[in-house]
Amino acid sequence: MAQKYFGSDDPIGKILTFKDVPTPYTVTGVMAPIPANSHFHFDLFASMASLPEAKAPNWLQSNYHTYLVLPAGYDYQQLQAKLPQVADKYMAPQFEKMMGVNMAELRRKGNDIGLFLQPLTDIHLHSDLKPESELEPGGDIRYVYIFGAIALFMLLLACINFMNLSTAGASKRAKEVGVRKVLGSAKMALTNQFLIESLLLTAIAMLLAIGFVYLTLPLFNSLAGKELTVNFLANPWLLPGLLVFGLIVGVLAGSYPAFFLSSFTPVSVLKGKFTSSKNSIGLRSGLVVVQFFISIALTIGTTVVYQQLSYIQNKKLGYNKDQVLVLPETWLLGQKEEAFRDQIMQDPRVVNVSTSGYLPAGPSYNNNFMVYPETNSTQLVKTLRYDVDYNYIPTLGMNMAAGRNFSKSYGTDSSGVILNETAARLLGWATNALDHTIGNSDNQGNKKTYRVIGVVKDFHFKSLHEPISPLVMVLGHNSGTVIVKVKAKDITGLLTSLKKQWSQFTTDSPFTYSFLDERFNDTYKAEQKIGNILGIFAGLTIFVACLGLFGLATFTAEQRTKEIGVRKVLGASVGSIVALLSKDFLTLVLIALVIASPIAWYIMDRWLQDFAYRIDISGWIFAGAGLTAVAIALLTVSYQSIKAALMNPVRSLRSE
């Protein structure tokens, strides 16, 4: 910003004047760039000293975040334990004056107001506040755990593949082990040899993985919306950590094959009597079950995520988000804003126009409005307040459940309100709210009464993670955003015309716009990214599992070559042999499905609890995941099975 306004000049002591701000500002410093991992970002800081609200002795406003630097090693919870006393001393008297209700009575009804502390390093991943209460949307530690677990599962699958293929191919190294033992090699020396082979393979894989991460990190950042980097110098623990991790993985993957291969009896293997034990075959079968258990669980999870996202996209919201154009920051026009709106309304491509800063899609608004029914000031209901104009409800296609919209024909509508159905229900007027009154007090205790002229049908003005809150609409001029309902035809031409009209009213600010459906989709961008990443991980996991299954099928076909030759001589068909070789693997996949289904259902049901409006997990999702796993397993195994079944039996039996 210093370069933008002052170029290469020294900005210190220079004056900045802001539009519509009477007080000029003096530049007193230039900050270093804020890193990407800050919990909020900004272009400049301005002193609050000139703002009236900065000096107001009002403890009930919550418009600002306050940062405290505490002494090193100090337990912040000691300070937090004292905050209720602060609330009772300063907030309670103001609340009682404003609402006529004391704090003790408020707490008896299960409500409370107060202050709390939040460690700065907890904000990004551990904040339990609603997104609109934070300066910027944060992350979620649960997804870090989920994707970390998936990465470990994929690594586990690779280890399982290594164990399976090493033990299944043991016959190829049996004679080597026998000869080495005859020549005097100790069992521990053979074990170490096989472990070192595993560690070398792991080391090569790790080098390839680091290179792969460097190449694909920009793509991942684009997909996940992150700015992650790999910097060994900035994180000195990273390289030693990777080395230790690689050592653990190499030992984990190679330990069982090492002990298994080194345990062969020389006499048996040199006579050609080596066969896999029932224990090793049973272990390999168990490992295949684990592989497909993970794959099926991920497939079910991915399907549920996509189903929930599809449900959100297609759910009836109570308003029409299609073909609605949003023109932000129209407050920059000042007194010309109304003329700009009226000029837009003259365009035949425009259906309706409204001016209000409150939009039902995108970031939510914390404009709390404490009201009570009739004259009962003790029955407080916390609602949200929307200041709207006469055209707000028709422009957004909302429907009235009772009563009417605001109208210029009624001069008393300035003291009228429209409730949503939830607010009417909480105030005790579920059947007939019309002509009832609600009361409200400002910060100075001045009371105002509103008459209910209508009830709008409930609509979703927050994320579907949350249930619909009580809402009160009042008639008022709330500048800042023009909402335009447009016809489907020639939107490009309309935008060109609007840009031209905007430039006629102001040349200081660029013309910007968005569509309401895009703002709605942005609300669930995090879930969409998670669904995409989960889908990629599920695909990779299934691919790794199939690699192992393909290898096992290859070795199984090799071990049963003579059996297949005998069966073909005795008249077995190709189909029966393929079925014989595939049957055992398909059985293992079905066992994995039976185990994975209830566990995946439990995990995804817990995930869906975060949505107030969610799908029911249908049985077809599990059936589809099972059929997919069976089809993939069958395709993986069938190539080797058909190849073995088509082999000439003369070649396989010639050595007998």
Side-chain angles (χ1 to χ4, degrees), residues 17 70 76 78 202 297 311 381 407 440 449 485 498 502 626 641:
T17 303
L70 304 181
Y76 77 92
Q78 295 180 26
T202 304
Y311 171 78
V381 175
S407 172
N440 167 260
T449 301
K485 177 66 176 178
L498 291 176
W502 175 270
S641 301

Side-chain angles (χ1 to χ4, degrees), residues 1-7 42-44:
M1 296 299 287
Q3 291 175 349
K4 176 180 178 180
Y5 289 114
F6 303 105
F42 59 91
D43 293 320
L44 55 86

Side-chain angles (χ1 to χ4, degrees), residues 127-149:
S127 175
D128 56 357
L129 298 179
K130 295 176 181 178
E132 62 267 20
S133 298
E134 296 289 5
L135 293 175
E136 288 183 8
D140 191 330
I141 190 62
R142 291 172 300 177
Y143 292 124
V144 177
Y145 293 148
I146 288 171
F147 291 127

